[in-house]
Structure formats: structure tokens, C-alpha cells
Amino acid sequence: MGPLLRAAVLSAALVALAAAGEAHTVSDFLNIFRPRNEHDYFHNANQGQEEDVMPRASDQQSLVAAPVSQSGLMNVPARSAPTAAAKDTIVLPVDNAAGYPGAWSMITQNAGVSAMHMVIMRNDKAIMFDTVTTGPSLLRLPKGNCRLDLRSREKGTEDCAAHAVEFDFVNGGVRALKDNVGVHVLLQILTDVWCSSGALDAEGNLVQTGGYFEGEKVVRYLSPCGNCDWREFPASLAEGRWYGTQQILPDGRSIVLGGRRAFSYEFVPAEGQSNAAAIPMQLLRDTTDDVENNLYPFVHLLTDGTLFIFANDRSVVFDYRTGQVVRDMPALPGGGRNYPASGMSALLPLDLRRGDVLSPEVIVCGGTPKNAFKFGETNQFFAALRDCARINPLKPGARWAIDQMPVARTMGDLLILPTGDLLMLNGAAKGCSGWGFGRQPVLTPLLYSPRQPRGSRFRALAATTIARMYHATSALLPDATVLVAGSNTNSAYNFSGVDFPTEVRVERFTPPYLSPERAANRPAINMATVPAGGMAYGAKFSFQFSMPMLHLRVTDADLKVTMYAPPFTTHGYSMNQRLLVLAVSSFMAGPHMYGITVDAPAKPELAPPGYYLLYVMVKGVPSKAAWVKVHK
């Protein structure tokens, strides 16, 4: 950046912060490593609201004056007619030649909150939560359960809206925590989880880190039970983690990296403990720029126990045990890939039958030109990136192999399916992350088949009718369908008068492998035969399954067994997601049931301890999953 342009950027920052009522010396602005103010990120969503950019819960009670149901849910306000921007969507021609293209269905019209963050728990419920910053949701807390609104203008103001739910994805149920009828729990967050991170620990508990304002150094815990609530521990982290990434490690601990101007990492302390200091990470400092572009770094646990860390357009192989960079990877040209450019990334499935232990591959797709956010501040929306790149970080001299998606995408989600294919969905073709910074929603999901040759890996599936852009999420479910929720490109819960209304609707996408004509091939795991003691590293693991039609015979060539680690998903990145294909060591056909034995992963570097979804597939059709604990 030239000196004149740098001066212009810094002057603009000075004006913006001065307008926000913050006093700083001029020397503060000469350091690009100083945090940007929150107002900078919501310019387009707040035009004409400069005096109150961030609404408080106490300021918007009129927005939630709709009738309240017994469960605390309010009526969804009427949506206004779609604007020109809302109608400008991308729908690709469906590839029907390859068979059933999938289907969409509605689970609920109102989940109460917009799902900025989502994780599937081992009690078969989805935890979905939002920031506490953007004002009331459409779900009231029970009497006596309000939280103090620490950001209100008036001391002692209470926030009585829910910002997190335990959602029953089978029937759409949502109930208040203190209402002990059923197991559908509404959860009360006391500190702000805005743009935070998370992982599931070895016991299947959600360990959730960081956030904004009073929540930036908090570690929270949530157990999967019918009456559990958040346990919050302030000042647990040494550095604030707003837009940081959390990764589970082979020893069961979590590491958390990065965040807004947090050029460091630290290990999540034991419950109730705190860290005295964080550890600097040069990659994060080197990859920041005037709009950052290195937030929510992509982190993947490799099969040798090292970490692949990608920030902006650069990546390294990092050994957290020694604190050393093992290998610098070549830069990925074309633009930024992390927030706010918001590309997608995943560790490709590890096929333990094929020797993928030595050849793990990382994929990075989409993103935006690096200056997309700056131009978004002037309502100019650049086209997102179309490229999809793969690399084996453990291979000396490795280079990125580039493919092209059928459509450009930013803010998309990338999920690994039980079959080993990947699903790309949600997001936009123009702009970048930020309230009001995205345009041209992409309604068509894409199926990506990593084992196919380059140029023939993508397939366009059935399109949704709902734009899922900034703050949308998705998750693979135990029944092998996909839960899709969220999207809020506004600075509050706005349902009218905006291009993209806040979304509280929750959808289910049924992938092509569950087509009606293939139902006869869908196996069913006999849950009673799944060992209650779980799966030990390096051991044999046996269970049984049946087929819907007894006369259909299954051979070992028809079989595939996979295990999936449910991720914590937010802002287009599914942290800790991984799929392993297990080797089948024996298979026996009985009169009514099939017996199968698989080889468990040999070590926690392949599959960190915890609960996994175990699927068995017959001729490419997955069963409903069994929850299996993997342990030493």
C-alpha cells in the first residue's frame, strides 16, 4: 500500500472512530494492528442510524410486541415485498442426468433465534445461538430468567429475549429451560458469544470460547442433557478471542487461535482455570491487512499430529507441541479466503483403507478479492472467487491444485457427507461478510466428489428458495440429511424494509443418496448391538445392521463404513469437522441381520477422542448414524 493510500485509510478510520465517540491520539492510528471499531463492520446495514449503530435489547421492545406462545415463541413479523437485490439470485440448472437432485423441506417457520452458531450434540439436538448484541429475538425467556444488559444506556436494564436454543430437529420443538416439560431447552447466555468459537470435548460437551465485549475472554460449557444450561467462566482466556478458531487436539484439549487483532494462540484451560498469557504466532501478524482478512483462520489437525493453519492467503504446518512452524506452504493466489473474505475449507475424508494417513488433503474454496470489504463500504460489490484449491500439507514441495466451481461463492458452508462427498451451500456470489456487504445469493447447493477427476467433480443440486447469507449455518444430521438455518445481514432482527430479512426459518436438505427409489438399499444399524463401551483406538469394533427387504443380498463390495466428527459451525467454517472411512475386517450375512467388524482408528491423531456419528452404507446409501465414543 502506498503512503497516500495508507494515509487515506487511516484518516477514514479516524473519522469513523471519532463519530463513534471514541477518543484516541493520532499516533494510535499509525499502527494498522490496532483493532478496527465494530462500527466499521456494519456500515451498509446502519445507514441513517449513526447515532445508535448497535441496538440494545432494551431499545427494541416494540419489535417483539407480537403475541407470545406458551413456549415463549413470538409470531414472526410480516415480511415486506422482496427488493430488487433480494430478487437478484443465482440458481444453476439442476443436473438431473445424474439422478435425484435432492430435496428441501421446512422443519419450522420460527426457531426463535437466527442461528449464527450451530452444533449437533450427542443427545440428537441442535444448539443454535446468536449474539446478544443485536436486540430481541423472537423468543422470550421465562419469568425470572432475564439477563442484565451490560451495554444498555440505563443501569440495571434487563434483556428478556433468548439468544440460544436447544432445537429438536425432528419436530422443531423449542422450550424454555425452566419449563421442565419435555427435553427441548431454551438456553440463557449471560455473556456475548458474538462471532465466537467452539468444539466438542471427549465426553461430548460443548466447550465454547470467546465472543465480544464482556464475552471475549469467557470459556463456556454446555452438556447434552434435558435440563443443562451454560456454565460460564469469565477471564479464562489470556487474550480476547473475537473471530477466533478452536481446534480439538489428540490429547483431548482444545487450542484457540487468532481473533480480532489477536496474533497469538493459547490452550483452553481446564474448567474454572485461567491462562496467564497467550503465545505469539507470527503467521497471524504477517497476514493481517487493513481489513484483516485473516479472521477465523482455517485450522485442520493433520494425521501426524501437526496443525495446518491457513490465514488470508498463506498457510503453515505448525507443531503446537514445540511451538514451531514445521513447513511454510506456498501462498494461494487470487484473494483473501478467511473472514471477511469468507471462503470455505475442510480436511478431505481420510480413507483408512487407502493409506490417506500419509496423504491428508486440505481443500480451500471461494473467498473474495482482498479489497472487497473496503469497496463494500462504498456499496460496491465485487464478484467472489470461483477457484477451489487442494494441497497435501505433509508432502514436501507440495503445490496447490486448482479447480473451478460452477459459480463464485463467499459466505458458503462446506460440509462433509457420510459418503465422502462434500456439500457446498449457502452464501453469495458478490460482496463479502459483514452486515449489508453481500449481494446475489446463491440458492443452488453443489455436490463435490473429491475422487472424481478435475473438471468433473461438481454437480448442481436442487435449489432452495431462501437466501442464506451472512450468519447462516448448516450441519449434517444423524439421519444423513442436512440442517440449514440462520442468515441475518442486518444489525437487528429485521423482517421488513431490508434486502435480506432476518431468517428464523429452519430447513432440511435431503441429499441425492436418500432418493425415494434407493430406499430399499438403506441399511438400518441395530443400535442394541453397538458396543456401549465405545470404540478403542486400534481395536476391532463389531455391530449388526439389517436391510428393509430381506431378499436383497449385500456383499462386502457393497459396504462402506464412515465415522464423522460433528463440527462447531459459524461464519461459513465448520471447526473440527472430519470424516474417516474405516477398513472392514470381517462381514457375515445372517438370515435377518448382517454382522460387520471394522478396524478402529489406530491413534488419536487420526480421530481425537470424543463422540462420532457412525454410518454404514450399502451401495452408496447411508444408514441413520449411531453415536459412538472413541477413546483410549
Side-chain angles (χ1 to χ4, degrees), residues 76-88:
V76 180
R79 292 179 174 86
S80 54
T83 64
K87 293 177 181 178
D88 184 17

Side-chain angles (χ1 to χ4, degrees), residues 18-171:
E22 300 190 13
H24 298 281
T25 65
V26 173
S27 61
D28 287 333
F29 297 97
L30 299 180
N31 181 3
I32 67 166
F33 300 111
R34 194 185 188 288
R36 290 170 64 92
N37 186 269
E38 67 186 50
H39 295 217
D40 300 346
Y41 278 80
F42 318 118
H43 170 84
N44 294 351
N46 299 293
Q47 293 181 19
Q49 304 177 45
E50 298 302 325
E51 302 232 338
D52 188 16
V53 174
M54 301 303 298
R56 306 292 181 261
S58 56
D59 300 334
Q60 294 197 18
Q61 297 305 319
S62 61
L63 295 181
V64 293
V68 183
S69 70
Q70 190 172 4
S71 67
L73 281 172
M74 301 177 184
N75 293 338
V76 180
R79 292 179 174 86
S80 54
T83 64
K87 293 177 181 178
D88 184 17
T89 61
I90 291 182
V91 177
L92 301 178
V94 176
D95 184 359
N96 288 309
Y100 181 69
W104 292 86
S105 58
M106 188 69 64
I107 298 178
T108 183
Q109 293 284 343
N110 183 11
V113 302
S114 186
M116 179 188 293
H117 312 77
M118 181 154 63
V119 63
I120 305 301
M121 304 287 274
R122 62 181 173 86
N123 63 344
D124 288 337
K125 300 295 185 293
I127 304 300
M128 304 190 305
F129 54 97
D130 199 358
T131 173
V132 304
T133 303
T134 57
S137 65
L138 294 186
L139 190 57
R140 287 278 192 172
L141 288 167
K143 271 190 175 180
N145 286 270
C146 301
R147 62 181 284 274
L148 278 178
D149 183 356
L150 299 180
R151 304 189 69 200
S152 174
R153 300 181 183 87
E154 298 178 19
K155 217 171 191 179
T157 298
E158 290 188 328
D159 173 8
C160 295
H163 302 288
V165 298
E166 184 179 81
F167 179 74
D168 188 325
F169 45 76
V170 175
N171 59 31

Side-chain angles (χ1 to χ4, degrees), residues 113-119 126-131 163 165 189 192-198 208 211 296 471-473 568-571 575:
V113 302
S114 186
M116 179 188 293
H117 312 77
M118 181 154 63
V119 63
I127 304 300
M128 304 190 305
F129 54 97
D130 199 358
T131 173
H163 302 288
V165 298
I189 296 174
D192 198 344
V193 293
W194 187 11
C195 306
S196 52
S197 48
Q208 212 270 320
Y296 279 130
H471 293 153
T473 50
F568 177 92
T569 299
T570 187
H571 291 73
M575 305 176 193

